[in-house]
Amino acid sequence: MKSQWNGIAAVAMALMFAGPVDAAVDAAAFKALAKKKGCFNCHGMDRPILGPSLRDIGRKYGSDAGAQARLAGIIKNGSKGGVWGKDAMPAYARLGDEDIKTLVQFILSLK
Ligand code: HEC
C-alpha cells in the first residue's frame, strides 16, 4: 500500500507544478537568464526598446490558452516581425526547453 501512496503523492506534486503559471515562476532565474542571453538589449521590463516591453507581452498573452506554446516557438525560431513593429525577433535555437519555459512563464506572469 505504501508504494500506492507514493504514487498518489507524486501525482499531487505534478498537479501542483502544472498549476497556475504564477506558482511556478522563478523571477531570479528569469532575470539571470534574460541578462545572459541579451533579451534586455531589446526588451525592457516596462520599456520597449527594439522589441516590445516584457510587461506588454505578458499583458497581451497572459490569459491566452495557447500563449505558452506560441511564445516558446517565437523564442526558439524567431519571428519575421510585424506583430509589434517592423523589427524581427532573433531565433534562440540553441536554448533548451527548460530555459525557454523559465523565460515564457515569467513573461506571462507579468500584468
Ligand atoms: C535583437 C533584438 C531582440 C533580442 C535580443 C530579443 N528580442 Fe524578443 N523580440 C524582438 C522584436 C523586434 C520582437 C517583435 C517581433 C514582431 O513584431 O514580430 C520581439 C518579440 C518577442 C516576443 C513576443 C512574440 C509575439 O509573438 O508577440 C517574446 C516573447 C520575446 N521577444 C522574447 C524574447 C526573449 C525571451 C529574449 C531573450 C532570450 C528576446 N526576446 C531577445 C527583438 C529581440
Side-chain angles (χ1 to χ4, degrees):
M1 272 307 120
K2 198 166 179 235
S3 67
Q4 201 174 357
W5 280 110
N6 285 341
I8 291 168
V11 170
M13 290 288 282
L15 287 175
M16 267 167 60
F17 285 112
V21 178
D22 296 29
V25 168
D26 186 340
F30 170 83
K31 281 184 185 148
L33 189 60
K35 207 168 163 186
K36 191 165 136 204
K37 299 297 171 187
C39 311
F40 292 137
N41 292 336
C42 295
H43 300 282
M45 206 61 141
D46 289 291
R47 184 171 61 99
I49 305 174
L50 195 65
S53 78
L54 296 175
R55 199 173 301 280
D56 282 345
I57 300 173
R59 283 191 180 134
K60 178 171 177 185
Y61 298 107
S63 52
D64 180 341
Q68 182 101 22
R70 181 197 160 90
L71 297 192
I74 298 263
I75 295 169
K76 202 158 183 87
N77 305 315
S79 84
K80 295 195 183 71
V83 179
W84 295 87
K86 63 173 174 40
D87 293 301
M89 162 79 193
Y92 284 82
R94 290 173 59 200
L95 212 53
D97 289 344
E98 276 305 307
D99 283 350
I100 290 186
K101 202 165 150 195
T102 300
L103 294 169
V104 170
Q105 284 185 334
F106 178 80
I107 294 171
L108 288 177
S109 76
L110 296 172
K111 290 178 180 76

